[in-house]
Amino acid sequence: MSDTFSTIDFDKSADGLVPAIIQDVNTGKVLMLGYMNAEALLKTKTEGTVTFFSRSKQRLWTKGETSGNFLFVNGITADCDGDTILIKATPAGPTCHTGADTCFGEKNSQDTRIGEASFLNYLQKEVIRERKLNPSDESYTSSLFKRGINKIAQKVGEEAVEVVIEAKDDDNDLFKSEVSDLLFHLLVLLEQKNIDLDEVISVLRSRHQ
């Protein structure tokens, strides 16, 4: 995505802003349109969640910073004139502030199906990554990163065993709890290895096309 930066001409407009169209990578629906300056585009690329420059607030604004309905970036391209950005993203819930799927009042048919799964992206990129980059002595996640990949991998193994044990019983609530623990520690392991969940999903998608 580094080539996108060089092809966008932010100087075409007096305020240094260019329109950014957000499209659902799964459904193809246009979710919203916002504006970006060079700093917003860089933040979007670096953090993997869509960040605009808010003309009303006159500051950078990450979509979902209040609602939790983030837009997780799958790809960024520029148009032929270098003055418009197209971002393909996975929405974590409704995009519009009104609660609608899109800012154009259209139903995004796959949104309800993928919304909960998108929380895993948020958990890795916003929560777990934050604990890795800014460790805290009070954070369990930070303590895992501090112990290193061997300890993290060991925890994944331990949680997998717990899932197998609970699968044989009839307590579904406890089983779901153990599966949640396994997923969490697996996300920590992915983050330690600098692999995004999206990359794993791409492998799964390639097997079922």
Side-chain angles (χ1 to χ4, degrees):
M1 292 189 292
S2 58
D3 291 339
T4 305
F5 230 130
S6 61
T7 57
I8 291 294
D9 186 359
F10 291 99
D11 294 329
K12 277 191 174 183
S13 59
D15 55 10
L17 301 177
V18 299
I21 301 167
I22 313 301
Q23 179 185 34
D24 189 307
V25 69
N26 293 289
T27 67
K29 287 287 187 181
V30 174
L31 301 176
M32 67 175 295
L33 182 144
Y35 290 86
M36 290 185 175
N37 58 11
E39 187 179 2
L41 178 57
L42 178 60
K43 185 176 176 66
T44 296
K45 290 180 176 181
T46 302
E47 299 187 358
T49 50
V50 175
T51 293
F52 299 105
F53 182 86
S54 171
R55 294 177 297 173
S56 59
K57 301 174 183 177
Q58 285 295 297
R59 65 170 177 84
L60 296 185
W61 166 65
T62 298
K63 177 69 178 73
E65 64 183 27
T66 301
S67 66
N69 297 331
F70 294 92
L71 295 168
F72 296 105
V73 177
N74 295 94
I76 303 176
T77 56
D79 76 336
C80 57
D81 293 324
D83 56 11
T84 303
I85 300 170
L86 174 63
I87 297 180
K88 295 185 178 182
T90 300
T95 298
C96 186
H97 72 282
T98 64
D101 286 353
T102 80
C103 290
F104 302 98
E106 294 186 301
K107 180 65 179 175
N108 196 17
S109 60
Q110 293 187 26
D111 182 70
T112 55
R113 179 174 64 82
I114 65 176
E116 292 302 319
S118 296
F119 176 75
L120 294 176
N121 267 301
Y122 164 76
L123 188 59
Q124 180 187 3
K125 296 179 179 179
E126 298 295 325
V127 179
I128 294 174
R129 187 166 298 171
E130 171 66 17
R131 301 293 189 273
K132 181 182 180 182
L133 296 177
N134 299 293
S136 167
D137 291 338
E138 300 176 356
S139 168
Y140 168 72
T141 308
S142 295
S143 71
L144 286 174
F145 286 122
K146 185 177 181 180
R147 297 176 191 177
I149 193 167
N150 288 341
K151 180 61 177 178
I152 298 171
Q154 178 184 335
K155 285 297 296 181
V156 171
E158 291 173 357
E159 297 300 340
V161 171
E162 292 295 330
V163 168
V164 172
I165 292 173
E166 294 303 329
K168 298 179 180 181
D169 295 329
D170 296 325
D171 190 335
N172 287 337
D173 287 337
L174 187 55
F175 174 69
K176 287 185 286 187
S177 177
E178 294 297 345
V179 171
S180 298
D181 288 343
L182 174 58
L183 286 174
F184 175 80
H185 287 90
L186 186 56
L187 289 175
V188 173
L189 181 60
L190 286 174
E191 186 61 29
Q192 179 68 12
K193 293 184 68 65
N194 296 313
I195 297 175
D196 279 347
L197 179 62
D198 288 336
E199 298 176 60
V200 179
I201 293 174
S202 294
V203 174
L204 287 172
R205 192 188 302 276
S206 69
R207 294 176 179 175
H208 296 278
Q209 289 180 340

